[in-house]
Each structure stands twice: as C-alpha cells, then as structure tokens.
Amino acid sequence: MRVVIAGAGNVGRSIAAELLENNHEVLLIDRDPRATKAESVPNAEWLLADACELSTLDEAALHRCQVAIAATGDDKVNLVVSLLAKTEFGVPRVVARVNHPKNEWMFNESWGVDVAVSTPRIMAALVEEAVTVGDLVRLFTFRQGEANLVELTLPGESACIGHRVQDVSWPPDTTLVTIVREGRVLVPTGDTPLEAHDELLFVAITEREKELQELLCPHAKK
C-alpha cells in the first residue's frame, strides 16, 4: 500500500518504520524542519510542508494512497487532515490519532475518520485486559460506534472450552478475528478448539457485546 502520514514526530516515525518493514510505501509530512529526521526512517519519502494545506496533500499525491494517517500532536490538525483526505482525495481508509480524550467524540465519519486511536483509552483498556479474566474489554472503536475491537480472556470455567469455533453459536454481528494462545497469534478456523485462558479478539457491534460476554463467561460480574 501507499500510506501518507501527517506528523513526523516519534509517533509518526514509529508507524512509518513498522509499515516500511512490511514493504509498504510511506510518505511522511511535517512542516517543522526539526521533525525531519530522514536518517531514522531512511526508506521513507519526506515532504516538508503543512499537511492542512490542499496544495501539500496534492503534492503528496493523496489520490494514490490507500491509507492516510493523521498522527500529529494537535487534534485540530488531525481532524482537518482527515477531512481533507476523505472528502477531497477519497482516501479509502483514514486513521487519526486522538491526543486529548475530551476531543474523541469529534473523531468520526463526519470528519472523515474511519478509525480513531486514543492512546489514553488503549492504555486503560490494556490495563483492564491485563488484570481481568472473563470480562469483555473494548480496545478501540471503528467509525465512532459502528463496531468495536474487543478482547476477552477465556476463564477456565467457561462452557465454551473444548468447543470448535464453528460449533459455538456466536451472536450476530460478531466475528472472532484472532486467538492469542501461549504467546502465539492464531488465525482461527472452524476446526480451532477454544482453550482456557485463550485471549480472544473480536470485531463486534456495541449492541452484541453483552451477549458475547454472557456466551463466553455467563457467571461474570455485571
């Protein structure tokens, strides 16, 4: 994929390095010369300009991008970049960084955001995930409430243990996407059995989360 990242600070450069390792084409945009540290991400393209300007995004050939990432430390900038990327250039997938939780409500499809990533929320969710077994933990939200990435660590007393994925009556609008088992990441198939202490990651709509919790751990505290 071709990916444009607005914001070449520590976050933007880290994302770029990861994407480049996976053989994607990456362009970093930043208007601050101090953020231009090409030696830290040598295989990336760089553009010293204001990402909030249409002329900059045109120069960056955003119309050829599959993904745009607004990763600056300023929520206003990230919203503007997201809106321009979606409405003016039709970028299929726009990911935006939320710096201040109080602004999270704005990071939705009205502003062109497909996925909003709130570091405080993710950190809180990971803390919950680390100390709870049998509780459904929401990691982040797609398109402001249409669907969520949620995690549950399967407790030893779950009635689903030993059942194959295809034999479990999953609620509608939920999809099991990954199983983390003993440090390994598994892509589940219909024949994959569920084991105690599996970390299950689902994409599910909000209305189905309670059903999913009750299916996997009916005795969890409400």
Side-chain angles (χ1 to χ4, degrees), residues 55-159:
S55 58
T56 297
L57 300 181
D58 191 48
E59 185 179 352
L62 228 67
H63 62 281
R64 293 198 295 108
C65 293
Q66 286 73 50
V67 181
I69 302 174
T72 79
D74 187 324
D75 284 344
K76 296 188 295 297
V77 171
N78 291 343
L79 286 170
V80 170
V81 170
S82 298
L83 185 62
L84 292 176
K86 183 65 71 175
T87 61
E88 298 295 328
F89 297 92
V91 177
R93 189 165 185 80
V94 178
V95 180
R97 172 188 177 187
V98 184
N99 295 279
H100 301 290
K102 68 178 183 179
N103 296 329
E104 190 171 359
W105 65 275
M106 292 187 290
F107 283 75
N108 56 35
E109 60 186 355
S110 297
W111 280 91
V113 178
D114 295 309
V115 179
V117 181
S118 171
T119 302
R121 170 175 283 193
I122 290 177
M123 291 181 70
L126 291 174
V127 169
E128 290 184 57
E129 185 270 336
V131 298
T132 58
V133 174
D135 288 336
L136 201 70
V137 177
R138 185 180 299 171
L139 297 179
F140 65 84
T141 298
F142 300 96
R143 288 189 178 271
Q144 195 66 16
E146 287 186 14
N148 306 308
L149 180 68
V150 298
E151 188 273 351
L152 184 142
T153 300
L154 202 60
E157 66 273 16
S158 173

